[in-house]
Amino acid sequence: MSTEKRRFGYWLPATLVVGLLLGVAIGFLIPRGEDLPADDSAEAGFARDMSTHHSQAVEMGMIAYTRATNDEVRMMARDIALTQQGQIGMFQAWLREWNLQPTGSEPAMSWMPGGAESVKDGLMPGMATPEELKRLREATGLDEDRLFMKLMINHHLGGIHMAQEVVELSDDPEVVESAQLSINSQQRDLTDMQDLQKRLDTAS
C-alpha cells in the first residue's frame, strides 16, 4: 500500500467523524416552528431511510478509496464518503430535534406511495447486495474501479429517487431544501461518474 493510502487510512475515519459532527451542527442551527414531523411522517421516514442508504455509500466509498487504482475513482470515492457521512449527521440531528428515535416501527420506504414494494430482500432501491459488496472488497485493478462505478451509479439513482419523493411529499422547508440540494449534488456526481465509467470501460 502506498504512503498516501496509509496516511488516508488513518485520516479518513477522523474526517468522517468531523463530517458527522458538522452535519449534526447544521441540523441544529436551523430554527424551526412548533409543528414537528410525526413518527410516521414522510420527513421521519426519509431521514431514517436515507441514513441507512447513505451508510452503504460511505462503506463503498471507503472500500474503493483503499483499493481503486484510478486516481479519479479514489478521489470520487473519498468525496462521496465524506459528503454522505456529513448528511447522515444532519438526518440524525433532525430526528433528535423532532424527539424521534433513529429507527421507527414502519417498514423501510413505507413513507412514500408504493415505496415498501420497492424494497427487495431488505434493500432499498440502488443499494448493493451483500454479494456485490463482497465482490467489491475482493476485486483488484480495473475490475474494482469499474465495479465501484457501476454500484455507485445505481446507488445514486436510488438516492435521487428518494429525495425527489420527499420534495413532493414534505411541507417542511428545511427538509425540502436539503433534499433538493442532495438531488443537485448527486446528479452532478452521476454525470461525472458516467463519464468516468465510459473511460474505464475502454481502458485496458
Side-chain angles (χ1 to χ4, degrees), residues 102-124:
T103 58
S105 58
E106 298 297 318
M109 305 291 286
S110 60
W111 55 272
M112 45 186 285
E117 299 172 4
S118 66
V119 177
K120 306 297 182 185
D121 298 322
L123 299 174
M124 290 175 276

Side-chain angles (χ1 to χ4, degrees), residues 139-158:
T140 58
L142 276 174
D143 288 341
E144 196 283 339
D145 297 347
R146 289 166 176 157
L147 180 57
F148 172 72
M149 299 309 298
K150 175 184 176 182
L151 295 178
M152 192 54 73
I153 286 171
N154 289 338
H155 205 275
H156 265 33
L157 288 170

Side-chain angles (χ1 to χ4, degrees), residues 67-88:
R67 301 189 63 83
T69 56
N70 181 283
D71 286 341
E72 288 184 76
V73 172
R74 291 175 57 229
M75 294 302 101
M76 189 171 293
R78 179 197 64 182
D79 292 346
I80 288 171
L82 296 176
T83 299
Q84 300 213 3
Q85 186 64 50
Q87 290 177 358
I88 290 171

Side-chain angles (χ1 to χ4, degrees), residues 9-152:
Y10 295 115
W11 170 77
L12 180 56
T15 308
L16 290 177
V17 171
V18 172
L20 180 62
L21 293 175
L22 286 174
V24 170
I26 292 169
F28 280 120
L29 284 175
I30 301 176
R32 286 184 174 275
E34 295 182 357
D35 294 331
L36 301 178
D39 192 59
D40 61 350
S41 66
E43 293 84 1
F46 172 75
R48 289 163 174 156
D49 287 351
M50 194 60 87
S51 291
T52 300
H53 206 270
H54 274 16
S55 292
Q56 189 185 74
V58 172
E59 178 184 4
M60 292 196 297
M62 294 179 71
I63 293 170
Y65 185 87
T66 59
R67 301 189 63 83
T69 56
N70 181 283
D71 286 341
E72 288 184 76
V73 172
R74 291 175 57 229
M75 294 302 101
M76 189 171 293
R78 179 197 64 182
D79 292 346
I80 288 171
L82 296 176
T83 299
Q84 300 213 3
Q85 186 64 50
Q87 290 177 358
I88 290 171
M90 180 179 64
F91 300 144
Q92 294 303 305
W94 287 351
L95 291 168
R96 285 191 292 273
E97 184 184 357
W98 301 338
N99 299 314
L100 301 176
Q101 296 298 315
T103 58
S105 58
E106 298 297 318
M109 305 291 286
S110 60
W111 55 272
M112 45 186 285
E117 299 172 4
S118 66
V119 177
K120 306 297 182 185
D121 298 322
L123 299 174
M124 290 175 276
M127 293 185 72
T129 66
E131 293 76 17
E132 288 172 329
L133 289 176
K134 182 174 183 293
R135 286 173 52 205
L136 183 64
R137 293 188 189 98
E138 296 174 350
T140 58
L142 276 174
D143 288 341
E144 196 283 339
D145 297 347
R146 289 166 176 157
L147 180 57
F148 172 72
M149 299 309 298
K150 175 184 176 182
L151 295 178
M152 192 54 73

Side-chain angles (χ1 to χ4, degrees), residues 184-201:
N184 298 342
S185 173
Q186 293 199 34
Q187 285 178 334
R188 288 192 297 269
D189 284 348
L190 271 178
T191 298
D192 293 339
M193 287 192 290
Q194 289 165 342
D195 176 68
L196 180 53
Q197 184 183 48
K198 290 177 183 177
R199 286 185 277 126
L200 291 173
D201 286 344

